[in-house]
C-alpha cells in the first residue's frame, strides 16, 4: 500500500495551496480531484462571472456615451459572443498547463478521481487504497437547493449552468439576493433579460451593512431589476410553456412567470462522496467542524476552505490551506484569523467591505463613531461620471481603532485594501488621514471619511 505524508482531497484554492506548500517542504503528497483543478471559483464562480460582468459593463458604457461628447451607433449585445469572450479570458487566466495544475513539478502525485475514507488513515481513490499520515479535506461547497415544492420538476439552473449558457433567457427569476444572485441578476439584465430577484430576508446582501444594502437595492431597481424582499416561494410549476413561481411577501400573494430560474440560495459542503462516517466525521450546522487550527475531531484529519464554513472566498481558502500545512508539518500552532477578510460583490458599482458592520458593532455593545463620505462629493467620481457611491467607516470611539469599512462605488474592491491594511496592522484611523493621497483619486473618499474623526 502506498503511503503519503499528506493526502489532499480537493483541488481548489485551499487544496492546491496546501499541496504545493507541503511538497516544497519535502513531504510526500497526493491530491485527489475528480473534477477540474482550480475549484468552483475558476470554473463557475469568480473567474467566468467577472469576465461576463465586464462585458455587461462595457455594453452599458457604449450605450451611454453622449454625456462625454461621443456619439456612436451601437448595433446589439450578443450574449453568445460574450460567453465566447468569457471562455477566452478563462484560458488566458488558467493558461494551457497540465490538468494537475503543475503539482507534478513539485513532486506531488495527482489522482483525477473521487476519494473516500475507508478508515481515518486509509483513503480509497478509484480502485486503489492508499495510506495517509495526514489528510486535508478541501472539497469546497456545492449550490444549496431549497426544498421548494415543484422546483426540481419545473427545472432550474445554478451558477454552474449559468456560466455555460449560450442563449439569454428572456425572463429570469433569481432565488437569493446574495453576491451570486445579484451578480447574475445584473449580468442578465444588462444583456436584456427581464429579471426578478426573490430574497427571503428583508434586505439584499444580507451580510452587508444595512445602509450599503439599501444603496445597492436602489441601484438594482434603477437597472430595471425587480426586487421582492421577505419573499417566501411556496411552490413552482409549469404553466403555459413557462415556469411559474407562487410566492408570498409583505405585498401579498402573486405568481411570477419566467423562462428560467436561477437558484443562488447559499452553499452546502461538498462531502457526498467522502464517506465521512468511516473517518468518524459528520457535517454539523451546514459545515465540517474544525478547531481554530483547522483540525477536525480526528487528530490526523484537517479541513480548510469553504467546506469548513469559513468566508466563501478564494483568498480565504488559499490562506487556510497555508495555515493547515504550517500547523501540520511545521508545528506552527497558528490559529486562523478571519477578522480582517475583505469581501467583494462585483456588481456595478461594486460593493466591498471588511470587518464589522454598524449593526454588528452596536449589537456587540461597542461604543462607536460612524463617518460617511458620498461619491457625489468626490472630485474623481464626478470627473469619471461615477457619482453613485458611499464610503462608511466604523471606528471605536475611545481608541480610534477601525472596526469596519464599507464601500459602494466605483473601484470599491481595490479601494477597500487601504482599510484592510490598517485593520490588519492595528493602525488607528489617523494613519489614513496622515497619509498623503493622490489627487484626484478614488481612495480620497476613504481619506475624506477618516478626516471626520
Amino acid at each position: 500500500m502506498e503511503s503519503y505524508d499528506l493526502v489532499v482531497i480537493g483541488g481548489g484554492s485551499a487544496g492546491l495551496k496546501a499541496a504545493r506548500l507541503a511538497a516544497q517542504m519535502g513531504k510526500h503528497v497526493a491530491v485527489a480531484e475528480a473534477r477540474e483543478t482550480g475549484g468552483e471559483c475558476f470554473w463557475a464562480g469568480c473567474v467566468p462571472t467577472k469576465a461576463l460582468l465586464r462585458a455587461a459593463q462595457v455594453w452599458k458604457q457604449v450605450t451611454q456615451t453622449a454625456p462625454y461628447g461621443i456619439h456612436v451607433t451601437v448595433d446589439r449585445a450578443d450574449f453568445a459572443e460574450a460567453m465566447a469572450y468569457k471562455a477566452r479570458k478563462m484560458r488566458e487566466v488558467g493558461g494551457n498547463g497540465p490538468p494537475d495544475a503543475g503539482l507534478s513539478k513539485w513532486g506531488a502525485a495527482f489522482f483525477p478521481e473521487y476519494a473516500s475514507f475507508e478508515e481515518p488513515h486509509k483513503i480509497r481513490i478509484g480502485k486503489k487504497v492508499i495510506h495517509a499520515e495526514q489528510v486535508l479535506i478541501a472539497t469546497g461547497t456545492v449550490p444549496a437547493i431549497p426544498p421548494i415544492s415543484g422546483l426540481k420538476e419545473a427545472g432550474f439552473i445554478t451558477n454552474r449552468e449559468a456560466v455555460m449558457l449560450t442563449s439569454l433567457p428572456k425572463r429570469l427569476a433569481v432565488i437569493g439576493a446574495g453576491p451570486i444572485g445579484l451578480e447574475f441578476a445584473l449580468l442578465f439584465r444588462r444583456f436584456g433579460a427581464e429579471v426578478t430577484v426573490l430574497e427571503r430576508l428583508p434586505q439584499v446582501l444580507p451580510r452587508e451593512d444595512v445602509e450599503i444594502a439599501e444603496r445597492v437595492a436602489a441601484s438594482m431597481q434603477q437597472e430595471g431589476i425587480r426586487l421582492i424582499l421577505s419573499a417566501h416561494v411556496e411552490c413552482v410549476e409549469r404553466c403555459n410553456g413557462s415556469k411559474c413561481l407562487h410566492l408570498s411577501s409583505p405585498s401579498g400573494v402573486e405568481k411570477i412567470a419566467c423562462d428560467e430560474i436561477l437558484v443562488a440560495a447559499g452553499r452546502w459542503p461538498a462531502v457526498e462522496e467522502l464517506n465521512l462516517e468511516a473517518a468518524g466525521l459528520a457535517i454539523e450546522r451546514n459545515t465540517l467542524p474544525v478547531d481554530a487550527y483547522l483540525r477536525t475531531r480526528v487528530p490526523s484529519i484537517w479541513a480548510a476552505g469553504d467546506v469548513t464554513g469559513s468566508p466563501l472566498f478564494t483568498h480565504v481558502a488559499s490562506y487556510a490551506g497555508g495555515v493547515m500545512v504550517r500547523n501540520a508539518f511545521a508545528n506552527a500552532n497558528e490559529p486562523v484569523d478571519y477578522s480582517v477578510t475583505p469581501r467583494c460583490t462585483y456588481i456595478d458599482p461594486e460593493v466591498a467591505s471588511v470587518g464589522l458592520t454598524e449593526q454588528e458593532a452596536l449589537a456587540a455593545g461597542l461604543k462607536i463613531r460612524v463617518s460617511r463620505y458620498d461619491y457625489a462629493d468626490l472630485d474623481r467620481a464626478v470627473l469619471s461620471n461615477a457619482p453613485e457611491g458611499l464610503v462608511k467607516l466604523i471606528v471605536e470611539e475611545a481608541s480610534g481603532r477601525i472596526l469596519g469599512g464599507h464601500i459602494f462605488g466605483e473601484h470599491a474592491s481595490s479601494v477597500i485594501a487601504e482599510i484592510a491594511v490598517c485593520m490588519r496592522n492595528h493602525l488607528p484611523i489617523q494613519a489614513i488621514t496622515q497619509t498623503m493621497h493622490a489627487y484626484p483619486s478614488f481612495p480620497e473618499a476613504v481619506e475624506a471619511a477618516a478626516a471626520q474623526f
Side-chain angles (χ1 to χ4, degrees), residues 8-18 31 33 36-40 138-139 314 317:
V8 177
I9 305 176
S13 298
L16 292 178
K17 176 66 171 289
V31 177
E33 173 55 73
E36 306 93 343
T37 55
E40 189 85 352
T139 48
T314 299

Side-chain angles (χ1 to χ4, degrees), residues 183-204:
E183 287 183 11
F184 277 108
L186 181 64
L187 163 65
F188 283 99
R189 176 59 191 154
R190 289 264 176 100
F191 276 97
E194 178 184 311
V195 179
T196 301
V197 177
L198 311 171
E199 171 56 53
R200 63 182 180 84
L201 296 175
Q203 77 171 56
V204 301

Side-chain angles (χ1 to χ4, degrees), residues 393-418:
L393 298 178
I394 317 298
V395 175
E396 189 174 48
E397 187 174 36
S399 67
R401 179 168 62 103
I402 305 172
L403 301 175
H406 309 274
I407 305 173
F408 170 55
E410 192 93 349
H411 301 299
S413 62
S414 299
V415 176
I416 197 68
E418 177 176 15

Side-chain angles (χ1 to χ4, degrees), residues 56-199:
Q57 181 187 49
V58 170
W59 168 239
K60 181 177 181 179
Q61 290 174 339
V62 299
T63 60
Q64 298 181 357
T65 60
Y68 306 97
I70 300 171
H71 302 278
V72 297
T73 300
V74 182
D75 182 16
R76 58 189 167 81
D78 191 302
F79 185 74
E81 290 183 15
M83 282 291 180
Y85 165 80
K86 174 265 302 180
R88 292 195 303 273
K89 293 304 170 183
M90 287 181 68
R91 286 193 296 272
E92 287 183 29
V93 170
N96 296 310
D100 71 351
L103 291 169
S104 58
K105 73 178 182 181
W106 299 112
F110 177 69
F111 298 93
E113 298 179 277
Y114 284 108
S116 62
F117 286 97
E118 295 209 336
E119 297 176 10
H121 289 282
K122 288 185 179 179
I123 310 295
R124 175 171 291 279
I125 303 178
K127 296 182 179 180
K128 68 187 303 181
V129 176
I130 62 176
H131 178 270
E133 286 296 320
Q134 307 283 337
V135 179
L136 172 62
I137 299 172
T139 48
T141 57
V142 294
I145 309 304
I148 299 173
S149 175
L151 178 62
K152 181 178 180 181
E153 291 76 13
F156 63 90
I157 60 174
T158 68
N159 62 296
R160 292 181 172 182
E161 294 78 29
V163 297
M164 300 302 293
L165 294 177
T166 55
S167 61
L168 182 76
K170 293 182 179 179
R171 299 168 299 171
L172 177 70
V174 180
I175 300 178
I180 296 174
L182 290 192
E183 287 183 11
F184 277 108
L186 181 64
L187 163 65
F188 283 99
R189 176 59 191 154
R190 289 264 176 100
F191 276 97
E194 178 184 311
V195 179
T196 301
V197 177
L198 311 171
E199 171 56 53

Side-chain angles (χ1 to χ4, degrees), residues 107 112 115 131 152 173 218 229 257 259 270 274 279 303-304 309 320 389 415 419 445:
H131 178 270
K152 181 178 180 181
L229 304 179
D259 301 300
L274 291 183
V415 176
I419 303 172

